[in-house]
């Protein structure tokens, strides 16, 4: 069964610090997709990025960057020069497909950025 | 504004009531989902309606029943709920399992 582990329950940083959110996954499939979502206090889950199992290229989008390493089954997320608006719960998720389109979420990491 | 619309945003109901949560998307997505999220927990999948087929998480009690009137709508009927059913209920849609799911704002449900 697929599994996603986000070992960091809560992280607190001061504005402008860099912060990395860890995600480790387990799957037996060779084809799968990994996602990161942001959930601000308002409750809506906001999609940030998707990565498929065949593409290990790292990606940068503004202050956000992602490091996908199949060798360690990790898909880590770094925020550079954090801002107060980055405060939210961040979820890593894994999708293997199949009949149920089942996407499994990690437990989430609550990031607090203090001014 | 999200592309997945959920109504109502808040709902308070007694244990004997019958109510429905509504979810609508106009992105032409072929799959729609209902999730339950308790405080400080990740979303848990309840139902998937994909390519006209309904899949059910076996741990979901029968007091929750989904209904898909058409490919743009996925309703969740509630009957005889328990206090532990109080949670945020999120609806999502996607083109397929490979694409990201787009979530609505959620319905905050409180059972008295």
């Amino acid at each position: 069964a697929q599994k996603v582990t986000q070992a960091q329950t809560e992280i607190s940083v001061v504005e402008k610090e860099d912060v990395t959110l860890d995600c480790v996954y387990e799957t037996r499939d060779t084809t799968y997709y990994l996602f990161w979502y942001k959930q601000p206090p308002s409750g809506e889950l906001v999609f940030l990025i998707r990565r498929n199992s065949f593409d290990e290229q790292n990606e940068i989008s503004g202050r956000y960057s992602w490091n996908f390493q199949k060798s360690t089954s990790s898909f880590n997320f770094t925020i550079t020069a954090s801002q107060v608006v980055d405060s939210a719960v961040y979820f890593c998720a894994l999708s293997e497909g199949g009949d149920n389109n089942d996407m499994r979420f990690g437990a989430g990491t609550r990031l607090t950025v203090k001014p | 504004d999200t592309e997945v619309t959920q109504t109502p945003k808040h709902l308070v109901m007694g244990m004997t009531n019958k109510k429905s949560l509504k979810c609508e998307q106009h992105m032409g997505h072929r799959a729609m989902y209902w999730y339950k999220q308790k405080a400080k927990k990740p979303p848990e999948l309840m139902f998937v309606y994909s390519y006209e087929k309904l899949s059910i998480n076996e741990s979901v009690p029968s007091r929750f029943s989904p209904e898909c009137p058409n490919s743009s709508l996925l309703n969740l009927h509630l009957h005889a709920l328990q206090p532990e059913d109080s949670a945020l209920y999120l609806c999502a849609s996607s083109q397929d399992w490979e694409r990201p799911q787009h979530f609505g704002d959620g319905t905050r449900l409180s059972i008295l």
Side-chain angles (χ1 to χ4, degrees):
Chain A
Q2 60 198 88
K3 182 179 176 182
V4 179
T5 301
Q6 294 179 256
Q8 304 150 307
T9 304
E10 295 190 23
I11 300 176
S12 181
V13 300
V14 177
E15 207 169 21
K16 298 184 183 178
E17 285 186 26
D18 299 347
V19 59
T20 295
L21 310 182
D22 298 332
C23 174
V24 175
Y25 63 92
E26 294 177 31
T27 178
R28 295 179 180 177
D29 282 13
T30 55
T31 303
Y32 53 89
Y33 286 81
L34 294 162
F35 304 85
W36 275 96
Y37 285 86
K38 173 182 179 180
Q39 189 173 39
S42 58
E44 177 196 351
L45 276 158
V46 178
F47 164 71
L48 296 177
I49 191 171
R50 175 187 73 154
R51 175 65 71 232
N52 74 52
S53 52
F54 299 105
D55 181 4
E56 287 195 71
Q57 261 192 329
N58 292 329
E59 182 155 340
I60 298 175
S61 176
R63 296 185 296 107
Y64 295 171
S65 62
W66 291 268
N67 182 1
F68 176 34
Q69 292 193 339
K70 286 181 73 172
S71 60
T72 55
S73 297
S74 65
F75 185 39
N76 296 337
F77 172 30
T78 297
I79 301 175
T80 303
S82 60
Q83 299 177 2
V84 172
V85 293
D86 295 327
S87 297
V89 179
Y90 290 86
F91 291 99
C92 180
L94 169 67
S95 179
E96 291 176 328
D99 291 342
N100 292 342
N101 285 22
D102 196 355
M103 183 169 70
R104 296 295 180 94
F105 287 86
T109 297
R110 180 176 299 275
L111 174 66
T112 301
V113 181
K114 299 178 181 178
Chain B
D1 290 341
T2 61
E3 296 169 321
V4 176
T5 303
Q6 289 187 242
T7 55
K9 294 194 181 304
H10 301 273
L11 179 61
V12 179
M13 57 187 286
M15 290 188 284
T16 58
N17 293 155
K18 287 185 181 180
K19 296 285 184 183
S20 297
L21 307 185
K22 298 186 184 301
C23 177
E24 186 172 14
Q25 58 91 11
H26 292 290
M27 294 177 282
H29 288 170
R30 302 299 300 272
M32 295 185 72
Y33 313 79
W34 276 109
Y35 289 86
K36 174 184 178 181
Q37 187 179 23
K38 300 285 281 185
K40 299 189 177 183
K41 296 291 186 182
E44 294 180 16
L45 185 65
M46 301 175 71
F47 304 101
V48 179
Y49 196 83
S50 176
Y51 290 87
E52 302 178 1
K53 177 185 172 186
L54 178 67
S55 299
I56 300 172
N57 181 335
E58 293 180 352
S59 67
V60 175
S62 59
R63 54 187 183 264
F64 294 92
S65 59
E67 178 204 9
C68 193
N70 59 57
S71 59
S72 299
L73 291 169
L74 183 64
N75 300 325
L76 185 62
H77 300 302
L78 317 173
H79 174 55
L81 296 194
Q82 302 297 308
E84 61 264 29
D85 297 323
S86 297
L88 177 66
Y89 288 83
L90 292 161
C91 177
S93 70
S94 69
Q95 187 59 35
D96 50 46
W97 72 274
E98 299 175 345
R99 315 285 176 89
Q101 293 182 18
H102 296 260
F103 286 81
D105 289 338
T107 295
R108 293 195 181 275
L109 177 64
S110 297
I111 307 300
L112 302 179

